[in-house]
Amino acid sequence: MIEKHIVLEDIDPVTFYGVNNGHLQMIKSLYPKVRMAARGNVIRLLGEEEEMAKLEENIDLIQKHILKYNSISEEDILDIVHDHKTKADEIKGVVVYNISGRAIKGRSANQQRLIDAFDKSDMIFAVGPAGTGKTYLSIALAVRALKEKKAKKIILSRPAVEAGEKLGFLPGDMRDKIDPYLQPLYDSLQDMIPAAKLQDMMEKQVIQIAPLAFMRGRTLNDAVVILDEAQNTTPAQIRMFLTRMGWNTKMIITGDMTQIDLPMAQKSGLKESIKILNGIEGISIIELDKKDIVRHKLVTRIVNAYENYDKKRQEEKSLEFQN
């Protein structure tokens, strides 16, 4: 008889054990000659070496399944134990699976261009209107890189600039003031990583979320770094951010040129940087448009209505100037 300890490091133990430890009880019944006990994220095994080796290998396959799909069923466990393999992907082009097991993939030609650009370029600019999935898909690509151990951490940042509000006027300490600006990033992460695992990753600084101002002085190595809402950066801010890039790092910069919340006299750093960096080797610029909107169908209509309004206003101003 030998004893071994298996540590569930990359997955949420609750998903592995199942509701009311249902998955764990099933695995125990499939291996009656091995005694199993679980506490926290550690599984203790006691049994004969040959039987233990089979169970250990299948536990590894179960972990890989959960890491990929964020879930597992009793049928999946039976397939792994009896056929010694995980299910094959039925959906092509999947980036990652969300916590419900739904496939996250490119849903338009430009979204697929963003996915392809991530594989070939170290810096990607993804620019387009609201609802085109640029932030959500960028975070999915970062999560995939983390799961595949191509990156050691994810760093998400936003400029703390929104329509009409300044940090000093918001209640609470600095963390309370900052969190509302970063909530969209939390929302996307919570859709892709189980809550307990996400909390653990954030506590260990594997996933970091911080305002743009906190990037100064850092060199960002072995990471996927995403700057969201970059249209609200000044030229000096985005230049500072882009030069934080270190070894084995990919950067994705997202923004919407129609939603600039900077003061009227202030130039958008995103617009300037795209103009300066266009054509530089290793940098991809992906422009998404109304055809890529994947939110509620009303979002497309709203974007169209505002575009028509802006165009009409521009024409009226032009006529006034001529008169």
Side-chain angles (χ1 to χ4, degrees):
M1 299 279 281
I2 60 171
E3 180 176 332
K4 283 191 175 181
H5 292 80
I6 297 174
V7 181
L8 306 176
E9 289 185 317
D10 296 325
I11 62 169
D12 181 4
V14 175
T15 306
F16 184 99
Y17 300 147
V19 178
N20 296 322
N21 288 332
H23 294 161
L24 195 63
Q25 296 304 323
M26 172 184 259
I27 297 169
K28 284 182 179 180
S29 68
L30 293 168
Y31 289 89
K33 294 181 182 179
V34 178
R35 292 163 67 181
M36 295 178 63
R39 185 167 186 174
N41 68 333
V42 179
I43 301 173
R44 178 174 169 268
L45 306 177
L46 186 65
E48 297 297 329
E49 187 171 359
E50 186 178 347
E51 194 75 1
M52 291 262 285
K54 293 178 184 176
L55 174 55
E56 198 172 0
E57 195 170 348
N58 282 328
I59 286 176
D60 183 57
L61 286 172
I62 291 169
Q63 286 191 80
K64 287 178 179 176
H65 182 104
I66 294 171
L67 185 63
K68 185 169 188 177
Y69 298 101
N70 281 317
S71 63
I72 195 163
S73 66
E74 292 184 354
E75 290 79 8
D76 293 328
I77 293 172
L78 289 172
D79 286 343
I80 290 169
V81 172
H82 294 315
D83 300 330
H84 205 60
K85 61 182 181 181
T86 60
K87 68 179 181 183
D89 272 335
E90 299 173 358
I91 305 172
K92 300 298 181 183
V94 176
V95 178
V96 290
Y97 290 83
N98 75 356
I99 58 173
S100 303
R102 180 178 63 83
I104 299 172
K105 56 180 292 189
R107 295 171 62 183
S108 70
N110 285 329
Q111 286 192 358
Q112 188 58 48
R113 285 182 62 219
L114 173 55
I115 295 168
D116 296 340
F118 186 81
D119 294 328
K120 70 178 184 179
S121 301
D122 288 336
M123 183 177 291
I124 304 106
F125 288 83
V127 182
T132 50
K134 54 190 181 295
T135 300
Y136 188 78
L137 199 54
S138 296
I139 291 176
L141 288 164
V143 170
R144 184 185 71 180
L146 200 61
K147 284 175 179 267
E148 294 177 350
K149 301 191 184 301
K150 292 179 180 177
K152 293 181 180 178
K153 54 183 177 284
I154 297 172
I155 301 171
L156 308 175
S157 187
R158 265 187 160 202
V161 177
E162 295 295 339
E165 287 189 309
K166 298 185 184 297
L167 289 178
F169 294 107
L170 295 174
D173 59 19
M174 182 55 73
R175 178 63 185 267
D176 293 329
K177 294 173 189 286
I178 288 166
D179 273 357
Y181 294 95
L182 305 176
Q183 191 59 48
L185 304 179
Y186 289 116
D187 291 343
S188 296
L189 286 169
Q190 287 166 352
D191 193 44
M192 299 177 205
I193 302 173
K197 186 62 183 175
L198 177 58
Q199 182 64 32
D200 181 61
M201 285 176 155
M202 294 184 74
E203 287 175 359
K204 292 178 178 176
Q205 298 283 293
V206 174
I207 295 178
Q208 304 171 26
I209 305 180
L212 179 59
F214 288 23
M215 295 294 107
R216 187 174 297 279
R218 299 183 66 181
T219 301
L220 308 174
N221 296 317
D222 301 309
V224 178
V225 188
I226 298 173
L227 174 60
D228 192 34
E229 300 288 351
Q231 76 277 0
N232 286 329
T233 60
T234 65
Q237 285 174 331
I238 200 164
R239 184 174 182 175
M240 175 275 292
F241 174 81
L242 297 178
T243 54
R244 301 305 94 203
M245 192 173 193
W247 295 106
N248 191 37
T249 287
K250 285 183 179 281
M251 280 187 167
I252 308 178
I253 300 93
T254 71
D256 178 0
M257 297 301 193
T258 67
Q259 295 188 1
I260 298 173
D261 298 314
L262 293 167
M264 290 292 290
Q266 182 66 66
K267 185 190 297 184
S268 170
L270 178 60
K271 189 178 293 186
E272 182 179 270
S273 63
I274 288 176
K275 184 178 179 180
I276 294 170
L277 301 176
N278 190 20
I280 299 291
E281 185 179 353
I283 298 177
S284 292
I285 298 172
I286 309 299
E287 294 185 9
L288 299 102
D289 56 36
K290 293 176 290 185
K291 296 190 296 293
D292 304 301
I293 292 176
V294 291
R295 288 183 188 166
H296 194 285
K297 59 187 178 183
L298 273 178
V299 175
T300 304
R301 296 173 191 168
I302 290 167
V303 170
N304 284 333
Y306 271 95
E307 278 189 0
N308 292 333
Y309 174 79
D310 290 340
K311 186 178 179 181
K312 187 177 178 181
R313 291 270 302 186
Q314 198 67 35
E315 289 172 352
E316 289 173 352
K317 285 182 179 179
S318 180
L319 287 173
E320 287 174 8
F321 180 76
Q322 290 174 11
N323 293 331

